[in-house]
Amino acid sequence: MSEATIAVFPGDGIGPEVTAQAQAVLENCGERFGAAIRFVEAPLGGAAIDATGKPLPDDSLALARSADAVLLGAVGGPKWDDPKSDVRPEQALLGLRRELQLFANLRPIQVHARVVEAAPLRREILEGVDILFVRELTGGVYFGQPSERRQGAAGREAVDTIAYDESEVRRVVELAFGIARERRKKVTQVDKANILATSRLWREVTKEVGAEHPDVELEDVLVDAMAMHLLRRPADFDVVVTENMFGDILTDEASVLSGSLGMLPSASLGASLNSFGKRSGLYEPIHGSAPDIAGRDLANPLGSISSAAMLLRHSLGLEEAAVAVEAAVSGVLDDGLRTADLRQPDTRQVGCAEMGAAVIERLSR
Ligand code: IPM
Ligand code: MG
């Protein structure tokens, strides 16, 4: 049996609680589905600032580079929030994305049939929602230079820069088309081409890639209109590909469709292949570190557990295991178990650990 090394960065706030549950799930199903999994844990984010003074210590980065995949909890918290500070936990995330060249961030949005009532939109709008966001993750305004505050003739001023070259656009758009072919064969490219030069480049390159995939339908939508369509007719979208910051904003908006941010997973993929011949990647729930509920067994571990399912699929090639985990997650929701973020009538409230145990119980049936 092949052995997979997973780097585990529990991070801050509720990160350690939810990651422990995802790790238990991976432990339970790895061997049964064909891979022995070895976990190596290291500090990241605020926890790493406290321990070493750096949000992304060299040893943690080296571990991430050598692992077959990375499982991450969440980073950040009020303790490290001083905007004037030179070190911030979020730098760990951006550093990992840049150093591992994790250019494609996959964020699936689905609506579980029994959780529909927990979402603030009407059932008719939510029926059939199944969107996969592919957010570009290593370019755009997050990394463009110059990015600085300075003293100008008129006083304080600041500048940020959006920059993309065509190869950065092409690789993520190609990945999006590849995924769309396995799904409902539709790609929506989101931009602000009426204003931004980078958006016009995105449109051009996406059209060229689209021409190589005539079986996939391509549409371009302006980002402001997309913000509205996502709430009015979310079921119309299949794969949505967009640049870094638009993807950041639209995926938080889209998370509302699923009833709770706590349920949503993500995968950040790069080009390099791991010892399984698959893309190495970083897997984390979309939610943050939620310091207000940390350490109280209140967090929803399903986002982290679903991220583990994506890890099994994309970095270890264990599709059957991934499907089993996703079915177990869906199963516990069918059984009426809910963490505090998802209170609904006729359901039973459970803590983070009990929710994780229930998923494992389902998996082992
Ligand atoms: C996300 C987060 C990060 C981002 C922050 C924490 C830097 O919002 O992963 O969506 O903006 O990319
Ligand atoms: Mg975000």
Side-chain angles (χ1 to χ4, degrees):
M1 187 181 301
S2 39
E3 189 185 71
T5 302
I6 311 278
V8 182
F9 299 136
D12 309 316
I14 59 170
E17 297 164 59
V18 298
T19 306
Q21 300 309 318
Q23 212 175 317
V25 166
L26 285 172
E27 221 145 42
N28 175 277
C29 67
E31 289 206 17
R32 266 193 299 134
F33 288 96
I37 299 181
R38 187 170 73 94
F39 298 97
V40 188
E41 195 177 307
L44 191 86
I49 293 177
D50 289 350
T52 70
K54 284 172 146 187
L56 175 56
D58 297 343
D59 289 349
S60 298
L61 177 59
L63 171 66
R65 278 191 207 284
S66 65
D68 292 303
V70 176
L71 181 66
L72 193 149
V75 296
K79 183 172 173 195
W80 309 281
D81 251 0
D82 181 359
K84 292 213 175 90
S85 167
D86 284 339
V87 285
R88 280 173 289 110
E90 291 76 13
Q91 290 162 345
L93 271 184
L94 296 196
L96 278 174
R97 289 171 184 175
R98 186 185 57 234
E99 295 301 321
L100 304 180
Q101 273 298 300
L102 303 170
F103 64 84
N105 182 221
L106 275 42
R107 298 187 164 184
I109 308 281
Q110 284 161 353
V111 186
H112 186 275
R114 286 202 52 196
V115 181
V116 163
E117 287 83 22
L121 294 176
R122 288 200 308 275
R123 172 181 284 277
E124 310 87 85
I125 292 179
L126 295 172
E127 248 151 37
V129 168
D130 181 5
I131 310 176
L132 181 74
F133 278 88
V134 180
R135 167 189 173 193
E136 201 287 328
L137 204 57
T138 49
V141 75
Y142 279 66
F143 297 97
Q145 293 300 327
S147 169
E148 64 190 14
R149 224 179 118 107
R150 57 198 180 196
Q151 202 54 35
R156 289 166 296 175
E157 59 179 41
V159 60
D160 291 298
T161 304
I162 310 181
Y164 275 107
D165 69 36
E166 62 178 299
S167 69
E168 290 175 299
V169 178
R170 179 165 288 112
R171 62 184 178 180
V172 68
V173 170
E174 273 173 355
L175 190 136
F177 271 88
I179 295 175
R181 298 186 78 171
E182 310 285 309
R183 293 172 47 104
R184 303 196 308 280
K185 297 195 168 53
K186 179 174 172 189
V187 169
T188 303
Q189 191 275 140
V190 180
D191 62 32
K192 189 72 185 171
N194 49 352
I195 299 293
L196 300 175
T198 43
S199 284
R200 292 191 284 276
L201 177 68
W202 269 79
R203 247 180 217 214
E204 228 170 272
V205 174
T206 305
K207 204 167 167 197
E208 289 161 16
V209 175
E212 293 158 19
H213 299 274
D215 54 328
V216 178
E217 179 195 344
L218 168 64
E219 65 175 358
D220 300 305
V221 178
L222 294 172
V223 63
D224 46 354
M226 187 67 185
M228 184 178 67
H229 298 323
L230 270 177
L231 301 183
R232 280 225 160 120
R233 48 179 189 88
D236 286 355
F237 301 101
D238 179 16
V239 173
V240 177
V241 66
T242 188
E243 64 104 71
N244 203 345
M245 190 178 231
F246 296 158
D248 178 45
I249 297 168
L250 291 178
T251 52
D252 261 34
E253 184 192 357
S255 76
V256 172
L257 304 171
S258 78
S260 168
L261 192 60
M263 304 234 282
L264 295 176
S266 79
S268 303
L269 305 177
S272 68
L273 300 184
N274 62 20
S275 74
F276 282 66
K278 296 281 169 187
R279 285 178 200 269
S280 41
L282 181 153
Y283 300 84
E284 58 176 325
I286 292 196
H287 64 69
S289 60
D292 51 322
I293 59 163
R296 294 163 56 198
D297 196 35
L298 286 174
N300 186 344
L302 297 181
S304 187
I305 292 171
S306 301
S307 303
M310 294 187 87
L311 185 159
L312 292 163
R313 170 174 297 126
H314 294 289
S315 283
L316 304 187
L318 300 176
E319 177 64 25
E320 235 183 287
V323 170
V325 172
E326 285 163 352
V329 166
S330 186
V332 297
L333 293 170
D334 288 339
D335 290 343
L337 302 189
R338 300 285 185 274
T339 38
D341 52 318
L342 268 175
R343 251 173 247 167
Q344 286 180 267
D346 302 321
T347 60
R348 187 161 78 79
Q349 202 183 321
V350 295
C352 179
E354 189 178 348
M355 187 62 116
V359 171
I360 290 176
E361 195 276 318
R362 270 263 176 183
L363 256 180
S364 323
R365 270 186 209 172

